[in-house]
Amino acid sequence: MDQKKALHVLAYEHIKNMVLEGKMEYGEIYSETKIAKEIGISRTPVRDAIQYLSQEKYIDILPNKGFCLHKMGIQDFVDTNQIRTAIEGYCGREIAQKAHLEETKETFDLLESFFETAKGSVGTGVSDSVF
């Protein structure tokens, strides 16, 4: 059982890294058999990993074909915006409530020094208009 879990995690991480590193292309259909051979494991843990990655909207399962990269639709953008709004609003409130604390002031000072360092960096691709 532990071996199966480890293989499932290995497959999950392998496919997720391929997605995040841009090694997969939109419109291309990927095979769980091929992925299993790349990793050197059976198809079952790959199939389990594909199910989880589909639930997390990294990929879309194409029945009897394989899987492909998830293409974001309008609802994905709406959901993402709603989640970000909720998180950012909560964080803003927490920061405002703790702004008087010395630890918070130190954090703001540290962030400001990071911005100044980035602003002064040459060749980093950081635009002055961002700051």
Side-chain angles (χ1 to χ4, degrees):
M1 186 73 132
D2 289 340
Q3 179 69 9
K4 181 179 177 185
K5 182 178 178 184
L7 294 176
H8 158 80
V9 171
L10 177 69
Y12 173 89
E13 290 175 352
H14 178 78
I15 298 168
K16 185 175 177 180
N17 286 336
M18 287 177 61
V19 172
L20 296 176
E21 293 171 5
K23 295 181 180 176
M24 299 179 90
E25 295 184 24
Y26 284 103
E28 187 168 336
I29 298 173
Y30 295 90
S31 160
E32 66 185 41
T33 303
K34 184 179 175 188
I35 298 291
K37 285 182 183 178
E38 283 178 18
I39 305 171
I41 61 176
S42 70
R43 288 178 43 208
T44 301
V46 173
R47 194 174 306 120
D48 293 341
I50 289 170
Q51 289 295 324
Y52 282 109
L53 289 163
S54 175
Q55 291 171 356
E56 295 175 355
K57 302 218 181 222
Y58 283 102
I59 61 172
D60 293 324
I61 297 173
L62 306 171
N64 301 317
K65 292 183 182 179
F67 65 95
C68 64
L69 280 177
H70 176 72
K71 191 165 188 171
M72 290 185 72
I74 292 173
Q75 190 61 46
D76 293 314
F77 286 107
V78 170
D79 293 345
T80 300
N81 190 44
Q82 289 176 342
I83 291 168
R84 283 191 63 183
T85 301
I87 292 171
E88 290 171 2
Y90 172 79
C91 291
R93 187 184 79 213
E94 289 293 307
I95 290 169
Q97 290 175 345
K98 297 176 183 176
H100 65 283
L101 300 176
E102 187 60 36
E103 184 179 335
T104 304
K105 290 177 183 177
E106 290 172 8
T107 302
F108 284 140
D109 289 343
L110 183 61
L111 283 172
E112 188 172 339
S113 72
F114 288 153
F115 287 138
E116 289 302 317
T117 300
K119 187 176 178 181
S121 297
V122 178
T124 61
V126 177
S127 170
D128 285 338
S129 64
V130 174
F131 303 100

